[in-house]
């Protein structure tokens, strides 16, 4: 990983090499790029579903990304919206069904707090996915539990340029 330093009450961890991450959110919305690692910090720009961002360091719930090819050169994004693999999306959604041996957690963000549990066979609409997570009409669900029910396949969803 890298070196740690204290920034206010939050520890900051710097990576030796930038780690490429991808934004996973509602493709009809965006994630705030902030001027500092705080929810109350000034909005500097927006990152959209599928954007690739190089993470330089983290502080609490935020990741500092530089250089950003979107809107501005650098800024802080909520780490909870960043995933390791490329993100694909469909603004109109693709029908899916939960395939599991039990109940599946629906979360507020990838790896975030559980907002509800759903049963095997539950139908949903998938708007964005990565190898780890899907963004659906119900919330975020681990991709391994989602099976598409239409003739479409994950590969038919649009990759963000």
């Amino acid at each position: 990983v890298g070196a740690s330093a204290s920034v206010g009450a939050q520890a900051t961890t710097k990576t030796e090499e930038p780690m490429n991450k991808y934004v996973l959110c509602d493709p009809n919305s965006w994630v705030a790029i902030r001027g500092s690692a705080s929810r109350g910090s000034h909005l500097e720009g927006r990152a959209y579903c599928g954007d690739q961002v190089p993470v330089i360091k983290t502080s609490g719930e935020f990741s500092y990304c530089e250089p950003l090819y979107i809107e501005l050169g650098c800024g802080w994004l909520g780490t909870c919206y960043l995933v390791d693999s490329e993100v694909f999306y469909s603004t109109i959604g693709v029908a899916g069904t939960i395939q599991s041996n039990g109940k599946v957690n629906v979360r507020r963000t990838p790896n975030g707090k559980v907002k509800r549990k759903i049963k095997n066979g539950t139908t949903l609409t998938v708007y964005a996915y990565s190898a780890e997570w899907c963004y659906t009409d119900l919330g975020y669900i681990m991709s391994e539990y989602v099976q598409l029910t239409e003739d479409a396949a994950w590969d038919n969803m649009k990759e963000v340029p």
Side-chain angles (χ1 to χ4, degrees):
V1 167
S4 291
S6 183
V7 174
Q10 309 234 349
T12 300
T13 303
K14 185 172 182 175
T15 61
E16 292 177 22
E17 293 287 326
M19 294 185 305
N20 285 324
K21 300 283 187 169
Y22 299 85
V23 177
L24 179 63
C25 66
D26 180 343
N28 296 305
S29 187
W30 47 271
V31 174
I33 300 171
R34 303 217 174 259
S36 63
S38 168
R39 290 178 196 219
S41 175
H42 183 264
L43 178 66
E44 298 285 340
R46 298 172 179 175
Y48 298 93
C49 187
D51 283 345
Q52 182 179 4
V53 294
V55 174
I56 303 298
K57 59 185 172 183
T58 60
S59 179
E61 300 174 351
F62 290 86
S63 292
Y64 182 76
C65 302
E66 177 185 4
L68 291 172
Y69 68 90
I70 46 180
E71 291 193 34
L72 63 141
C74 60
W76 293 90
L77 285 85
T79 302
C80 62
Y81 294 103
L82 302 179
V83 296
D84 293 331
S85 61
E86 286 186 273
V87 173
F88 300 84
Y89 76 93
S90 168
T91 56
I92 59 170
V94 177
T97 304
I98 295 298
Q99 299 290 314
S100 68
N101 291 328
K103 291 187 177 181
V104 173
N105 292 331
V106 178
R107 298 179 182 272
R108 295 185 191 283
T109 61
N111 290 313
K113 291 183 180 182
V114 174
K115 66 182 201 177
R116 66 188 272 201
K117 293 180 183 278
I118 55 176
K119 297 187 275 187
N120 181 45
T122 300
T123 58
L124 45 82
T125 303
V126 178
Y127 292 100
Y129 91 99
S130 72
E132 307 94 357
W133 293 97
C134 290
Y135 174 77
T136 74
D137 57 335
L138 303 176
Y140 292 87
I141 300 171
M142 292 184 77
S143 297
E144 66 188 270
Y145 299 115
V146 178
Q147 176 68 47
L148 294 183
T149 56
E150 295 180 351
D151 291 334
W154 290 125
D155 294 339
N156 292 336
M157 295 181 86
K158 180 179 177 184
E159 180 180 355
V160 177

